[in-house]
Amino acid sequence: MWQDLERPWQIAFEMAWEAYRGGTIPIGAVITDAEGNVVSRWRNRIYDRKGSTPLAGTNMAHAEMDALFGLAEREHPEIRTYILYTTLEPCPMCFGTAVMMNIRKIYFAARDGFAGATALNEKLDYIRNKNIVIKQGNKEMAAFQLILQTAFEYGRQHARLEEIMGTWREIDEGSVAYGQVLYGKKYFEKAAGENKQISRVYDEVIEGYILTGGLE
């Protein structure tokens, strides 16, 4: 449950919820130093129209890209000890950027069968030799992210919706199904309208999912 999440994960999900409420893809990212101090926190801003960051409104405005943007190594000499936390497995662009910026630890909550690219870690000698540590969060975090993102994708009716859902179902069919149920009930839409905090949303979603037999 929410109180059991490490603080970087809580912040990442706070960013994901902020993105959802802002009408864009619900993914959040956080970068910490080796001691766990937050260095950067951002969210997806692809559909932002206010130009709140240099990347906002472009297809480059992924949560990880915004979190990594501006981290000059001369100002962050210990960047190789930093940890990137993201609520969804990084895509090729985000994974490659993290690699080239010398991030050596990448943690993600949910695997992305559609665009996730951490498998590149074992595909290229150039990347493999950097000894990047990649870890996935627990089943609960993964389930919440897929449930939230499934509801969002059904709401925006992506042109390749069923293709995306198919890849996610192969990873966790139950989470995708529950996300579709909550989309039908407009749960997230109502929660956003009621200004519910992510801590409450997270616990309500996980509790509801457990009642359906999820996370067994």
Side-chain angles (χ1 to χ4, degrees), residues 94-158:
C94 296
F95 181 71
T97 299
V99 169
M100 298 309 293
M101 290 189 68
N102 291 320
I103 297 293
R104 294 293 179 262
K105 293 182 180 180
I106 300 174
Y107 300 169
F108 63 87
R111 186 168 295 283
D112 181 5
F114 183 68
T118 57
L120 291 173
N121 195 43
E122 299 299 325
K123 300 293 185 181
L124 301 174
D125 288 341
Y126 176 79
I127 298 177
R128 189 185 301 114
N129 291 337
K130 293 181 181 297
N131 298 313
I132 297 171
V133 175
I134 298 173
K135 293 183 180 179
Q136 182 177 0
N138 62 37
K139 291 183 178 180
E140 183 183 284
M141 290 188 289
F144 179 83
Q145 179 62 31
L146 284 183
I147 291 168
L148 173 63
Q149 195 147 356
T150 294
F152 176 83
E153 295 297 345
Y154 272 103
R156 73 164 172 155
Q157 286 294 301
H158 192 286

Side-chain angles (χ1 to χ4, degrees), residues 10-74:
Q10 289 182 338
I11 296 172
F13 282 115
E14 286 171 2
M15 294 291 97
W17 182 232
E18 183 179 314
Y20 179 91
R21 295 181 63 183
T24 191
I25 302 170
I27 300 173
V30 173
I31 296 173
T32 72
D33 63 19
E35 286 71 46
N37 300 305
V38 175
V39 175
S40 178
R41 67 180 81 185
W42 286 105
R43 62 174 178 81
N44 183 285
R45 295 178 184 273
I46 287 178
Y47 299 120
D48 276 12
R49 298 182 178 180
K50 298 179 181 179
S52 51
T53 70
L55 300 179
T58 75
N59 285 337
M60 289 181 65
H62 291 203
E64 300 94 330
M65 295 292 288
D66 258 334
L68 290 163
F69 190 82
L71 290 186
E73 191 162 357
R74 63 181 178 277

Side-chain angles (χ1 to χ4, degrees), residues 21 188 205:
R21 295 181 63 183
F188 292 110
V205 169

